[in-house]
Amino acid sequence: MNPGALLQELPLRIESCRLEPLETITRSGWKRCTTVVRLSGLGEEGLGEDVTYDAADQHRFQARGRDLRPAGRYTLEEFSRALGALDLFTIEPLYRRWAFESAALDLALRQANRSLASVLGREPRPVRYVVSLDLGSPPGVGSLRRVLERHPGARFKVDLSSEWDGRVVKDLARTGAVDIVDLKGHYRGDFKGPPADPEQYRAVAEGLRDVWIEDPELNDRTRAILEPHRNRITWDAILHSAEDLMALPFEPSCVNMKPSRFGFLAEITRAYAHCESRGIGMYGGGQFEIGPGRGQIQYLASLFHPDAPNDVAPAGFNEADPPADLPPSPLPPAPAPAGFAWGGTRG
């Protein structure tokens, strides 16, 4: 059963919409800008977070927020259709749509005095997480070891770069702490990954035999190299719908589920249902959320794939100087009594 069917008929009353800018400096020195969408009605407020990466687009969105007028009475399904009439003026419409759909879900649940877990009939469970790292230039495991010094037992997702060589792979293998290597074979734009190098792919696949291999570019030069490891191949950047799951070159053992890539609440829940019906494993993925969006993806992980290598570590791990007191994995269940909020992440 698609869990979204249990949510789509929830009533929703929106009286106002407000946008709040958020900024932080990440470990790499990048200024991350996001926008919190605040929908209010009947004395309650629902929150979502727009994770669009382009800062200029975020600033335009924030400046024109007063022009957004989504007030009215809806069901969640009706509100999703109504969003199509709003000018969200973005280069990444699914990311911004998810901000509004998650805020509407939060508000509808709070107005009904229900938690997401109670409506879905699922028990939140402790969330295992991995810390996502770029190994820098020149690449090395120093950043990984620094995290391990403060957080023994941490697990990692690491991003391939064109500078990786056999030494880097061997150093990673010696740590025994890597769960996922992201080959970034389907990333474009500012986050474009390295060219598909068959020898790099071979080094990763053969040198890190217990890790998930995420987003390879399969072509005439790489397909044969990865074929013996296809049960470890997983996908992320190309997944925006349940149909995308069905169109993969082969049915995977596991996939990375990022709700903001799917945009529609109905679509991400349909994808969850497809994976569960086919026995496809799932793990969650983040997009440098710095507000309520981080807790929301942790909440979804707790309900649908808590024991997986979820790339949903506390946002503090993305800071230039991560705090020493960040909670270890697994994160204990922390759903709010009502709404789509996790722990103290109301924003």
Side-chain angles (χ1 to χ4, degrees):
M1 176 183 179
N2 181 350
L6 300 169
L7 301 171
Q8 292 302 315
E9 295 306 312
L10 281 173
L12 172 68
R13 171 72 182 273
I14 299 175
E15 296 165 358
S16 65
C17 173
R18 187 161 59 91
L19 304 181
E20 174 190 336
L22 293 180
E23 292 184 355
T24 192
I25 302 297
T26 69
R27 186 189 302 108
S28 65
W30 171 50
K31 179 187 281 189
R32 176 54 162 143
C33 303
T34 70
T35 302
V36 176
V37 173
R38 295 179 176 269
L39 300 179
S40 299
L42 302 179
E44 301 288 353
E45 186 175 56
L47 307 185
E49 185 175 5
D50 175 20
V51 296
T52 298
Y53 285 110
D54 187 273
D57 189 52
Q58 290 280 12
H59 295 153
R60 288 192 296 270
F61 176 46
Q62 294 157 10
R64 294 181 58 191
R66 60 185 177 276
D67 299 331
L68 295 173
R69 304 192 183 281
R73 294 179 181 272
Y74 311 89
T75 64
L76 280 179
E77 184 177 27
E78 290 167 345
F79 179 70
S80 181
R81 289 200 299 268
L83 278 175
L86 290 181
D87 179 11
L88 299 182
F89 38 85
T90 180
I91 56 178
E92 295 171 307
L94 291 176
Y95 292 178
R96 191 154 294 161
R97 172 176 278 275
W98 176 248
F100 280 91
E101 296 229 352
S102 54
L105 173 60
D106 189 22
L107 179 58
L109 289 167
R110 291 175 69 80
Q111 289 175 344
N113 197 30
R114 300 282 303 277
S115 70
L116 178 62
S118 68
V119 173
L120 295 180
R122 291 176 177 246
E123 188 69 27
R125 295 169 55 196
V127 177
R128 183 162 79 86
Y129 69 76
V130 297
V131 178
S132 186
L133 284 181
D134 183 303
L135 299 185
S137 179
V141 298
S143 58
L144 188 152
R145 292 195 183 281
R146 285 191 290 275
V147 173
L148 285 171
E149 287 173 3
R150 284 191 171 189
H151 304 277
R155 307 292 300 175
F156 298 89
K157 174 182 176 181
V158 294
D159 294 342
L160 179 72
S161 79
S162 58
E163 296 179 83
W164 278 33
D165 56 18
R167 175 192 58 81
V168 173
V169 173
K170 288 178 181 178
D171 287 347
L172 287 172
R174 277 193 284 266
T175 71
V178 177
D179 282 344
I180 305 166
V181 174
D182 186 354
L183 303 185
K184 304 188 84 68
H186 297 276
Y187 275 76
R188 301 293 181 263
D190 291 343
F191 293 89
K192 184 178 180 179
D197 182 326
E199 292 313 310
Q200 273 195 327
Y201 279 24
R202 187 191 308 277
V204 169
E206 296 180 359
L208 295 164
R209 291 190 169 271
D210 296 323
V211 307
W212 291 107
I213 302 168
E214 184 176 280
D215 271 356
E217 179 184 330
L218 297 181
N219 57 39
D220 292 342
R221 302 173 68 214
T222 63
R223 190 173 290 105
I225 288 170
L226 292 180
E227 178 62 27
H229 310 280
R230 71 150 60 187
N231 65 320
R232 293 192 286 133
I233 292 176
T234 180
W235 307 96
D236 168 24
I238 57 176
L239 300 181
H240 304 90
S241 66
E243 282 74 19
D244 288 342
L245 283 164
M246 301 173 203
L248 290 171
F250 53 86
E251 187 165 85
S253 300
C254 195
V255 288
N256 185 346
M257 301 290 276
K258 289 182 178 173
S260 52
R261 285 203 196 284
F262 287 75
F264 295 76
L265 175 64
E267 198 58 54
I268 185 65
T269 55
R270 198 159 71 91
Y272 285 146
H274 173 77
C275 288
E276 290 184 337
S277 70
R278 299 294 302 174
I280 299 171
M282 298 177 277
Y283 58 94
Q287 309 234 56
F288 288 95
E289 298 86 359
I290 54 179
R294 198 65 170 186
Q296 289 171 345
I297 61 174
Q298 291 168 348
Y299 198 164
L300 290 171
S302 80
L303 298 177
F304 290 98
H305 37 77
D307 300 323
N310 294 292
D311 182 14
V312 301
F317 279 108
N318 292 326
E319 295 177 7
D321 184 22
D325 60 351
L326 293 171
S329 177
L331 297 172
F340 181 27
W342 183 258
T345 59
R346 286 290 299 163

